[in-house]
Amino acid sequence: MKKLLVIFACILLATAAFGQWDVIRGPVEFPSYSDAVALNATTILTIDDNIVRKTTNFGQDWTEILLPDGVDVNKIDAASETVAYICADDGLVFKTDNAGDTWTQVGDTANFVWDLESIDAYDENTVFIGADDGYFMKSTNQRDFIGYGLCCR
């Protein structure tokens, strides 16, 4: 009886803690994506290969923004409702300051040719990026990326 009471209490606690999720719209119909970020309640950016997809009406309509051929994007993160960053293979970093309408390669990443696997935009100028082989980078001005040696090994 005590075990049953504990199980019931756990289920009740989990329901209260996590609540219920309502499917507002979905599934979204496009081939695939590797990451997504919400800039606000209705504007979402997704990435796949060298394509950024943008919706401003929570997935009802999508526009595609092409990055240069050969770019293979991995992750995206937003710093604000208008500023977001993308990290890609071969050390490429892109930034938008108009909610994803246009993207510009930022930073002199010629010294860093690692595949960039994760990104965290702390604010509009400070960006942290994790790369393959345990490397990570930081920029506080979108131009100069400082690379750090092996971590987490």
Side-chain angles (χ1 to χ4, degrees):
M1 178 70 173
K2 190 175 181 179
K3 284 184 181 181
L4 185 59
L5 185 58
V6 170
I7 292 171
F8 177 73
C10 289
I11 291 172
L12 185 61
L13 182 62
T15 302
F18 298 108
Q20 289 186 332
W21 287 84
D22 293 326
V23 176
I24 298 171
R25 175 149 176 76
V28 177
E29 295 183 25
F30 53 85
S32 66
Y33 62 92
S34 60
D35 200 10
V37 67
L39 299 181
N40 58 43
T42 58
T43 304
I44 301 167
L45 302 174
T46 66
I47 56 172
D48 179 42
D49 292 328
N50 70 328
I51 301 171
V52 177
R53 290 179 180 86
K54 177 182 178 179
T55 181
T56 57
N57 54 13
F58 201 69
Q60 187 172 351
D61 301 298
W62 292 87
T63 57
E64 291 186 352
I65 301 98
L66 292 176
L67 297 175
D69 283 337
V71 173
D72 191 13
V73 296
N74 293 318
K75 296 293 178 182
I76 185 171
D77 195 35
S80 69
E81 287 194 14
T82 58
V83 176
Y85 288 87
I86 290 174
C87 66
D89 286 349
D90 301 324
L92 298 174
V93 180
F94 292 87
K95 177 185 179 184
T96 181
D97 58 7
N98 56 13
D101 291 332
T102 59
W103 293 85
T104 305
Q105 183 179 341
V106 296
D108 178 10
T109 56
N111 294 325
F112 308 111
V113 293
W114 311 303
D115 291 343
L116 306 179
E117 303 294 338
S118 62
I119 189 164
D120 185 19
Y122 178 73
D123 60 33
E124 293 187 9
N125 295 311
T126 307
V127 181
F128 298 90
I129 299 173
D132 61 359
D133 295 329
Y135 290 93
F136 64 99
M137 302 183 331
K138 174 187 176 185
S139 177
T140 56
N141 61 11
Q142 310 124 53
R143 289 184 310 277
D144 304 314
F145 281 90
I146 301 168
Y148 296 94
L150 293 173
C151 77
C152 313
R153 283 222 162 208

